[in-house]
Amino acid sequence: MKAIILPFFLFLITLCIAQEKEYVVTKDGDTIYGKITRASSFLNPSKVRFKIKDTNGNKKLLNPKEVETIKSLKGVDGQCIIKTVYGKWFVKMIIDGKIKVYQLIDGVIFYTSKDNSEIRLTDFGGFNNKKESHSRIRLLLNDNSDILKEFDLLDGTQKNILYIIEKYNTLEK
């Protein structure tokens, strides 16, 4: 009996993994499955662009104005969710939860979204003023007095902000 169960579970795991695919969801709500890669620009190497090779072999450069979500599995950014902000830039989700934190692809600028609201610039850490960073994030935490008390004892550093958002999300599940 055990000899039958092990291959069965291995088959199920393989089936679940095989069903996970890379895709793009457009602003129109269409989903395109295929291989996602970064596209490089020789004239402007700092500009991050993505392209998709769909299941029919068609290649398309992805315009941030047209993209809602990219799910990448094995690309340069690893397994992640990539969104667009302001129709101009791609941002990678680095924290998922009630408060989502995104980071500009190949950048140090942070964006947030609470309760699946619009993604907004909420830059913190890096060269930002710690007090200003603290006050930007404090607004997101004002519905949890315990977290807010702990956060008020911390400096507004990038490390502290990411820590407190992770803790907030854990408590809000």
Side-chain angles (χ1 to χ4, degrees), residues 56-93:
N56 296 326
N58 301 317
K59 295 179 183 178
K60 180 180 180 182
L61 190 62
L62 300 173
N63 183 339
K65 290 179 185 177
E66 300 168 355
V67 173
E68 181 71 33
T69 304
I70 297 172
K71 180 168 184 185
S72 175
L73 295 176
K74 298 178 185 174
V76 172
D77 301 293
Q79 184 171 346
C80 65
I81 298 294
I82 298 168
K83 297 277 195 173
T84 57
V85 253
Y86 309 124
K88 295 181 179 182
W89 301 289
F90 291 105
V91 292
K92 176 180 175 178
M93 185 189 313

Side-chain angles (χ1 to χ4, degrees), residues 26-38:
T26 67
K27 295 278 185 186
D28 295 332
D30 296 329
T31 303
I32 305 167
Y33 291 94
K35 177 153 178 56
I36 310 291
T37 55
R38 278 208 196 179

